[in-house]
Amino acid sequence: MSTSAQPSTALPALPAVVELSGRIAPDLADYVQRRIAVVLSHTGRVALHAHVRVVRHEDPARERPVVARASVRLAGLTVHVGAEGTTPREAADLLLDRLDQRIARASRTRRGDRRAPSPPARTAGDTTGSATTTPDDGTDAPPVG
């Protein structure tokens, strides 16, 4: 008995480059890899490159000592986001939530979902409003009248 393999419609997983700096547990890199794969699976675009950097600053005066930044290149779109947190996991979660929102917003905008509907087309007999008429003889002459 043979089964035919159906082509997968899922986009291939893109391993993100994850850099950790400062006192951060190395398991955060795996966590970020898994979460960014989920975020990128929602896009519907081919992921070309993803880079995430999480840095813990040792300055005790900082209210949020962990800074996370991400840069993601998708087909036709590049997104940069940043977040700060008190712990590395908090900063990574905020970062990835913002990345997901930013990609979704950019995708809607590029498709035109957020544009206002265009006004209805005017008909030949419509005389409402002020319209400038130009000669229809193919020249670029100024308006008549």
Side-chain angles (χ1 to χ4, degrees):
M1 176 153 94
S2 66
T3 59
S4 61
Q6 295 180 354
S8 175
T9 58
L11 298 174
L14 171 76
V17 176
V18 180
E19 291 181 41
L20 305 177
S21 180
R23 291 182 306 120
I24 299 176
D27 66 334
L28 184 69
D30 293 331
Y31 174 74
V32 170
Q33 286 278 354
R34 286 191 308 272
R35 285 278 319 268
I36 204 163
V38 171
V39 168
L40 294 177
S41 71
H42 297 154
T43 66
R45 296 174 183 250
V46 176
L48 303 174
H49 179 75
H51 186 108
V52 178
R53 184 162 192 220
V54 182
V55 177
R56 178 191 287 270
H57 297 281
E58 296 302 323
D59 183 2
R62 289 185 78 129
E63 198 173 307
R64 293 188 200 116
V66 182
V67 177
R69 304 246 184 261
S71 177
V72 176
R73 266 188 2 183
L74 303 170
L77 177 67
T78 300
V79 178
H80 304 282
V81 293
E84 295 180 349
T86 55
T87 66
R89 178 71 60 110
E90 177 189 12
D93 284 338
L94 285 170
L95 178 81
L96 294 167
D97 288 343
R98 286 181 183 167
L99 180 65
D100 194 20
Q101 292 169 359
R102 182 79 50 89
I103 290 172
R105 183 175 50 210
S107 293
R108 281 193 316 266
T109 302
R110 289 193 184 262
R111 284 195 323 256
D113 292 349
R114 294 179 359 152
R115 283 190 288 175
S118 58
R122 301 181 80 181
T123 60
D126 189 3
T127 58
T128 60
S130 61
T132 305
T133 57
T134 57
D136 198 19
D137 60 2
T139 64
D140 290 333
V144 178

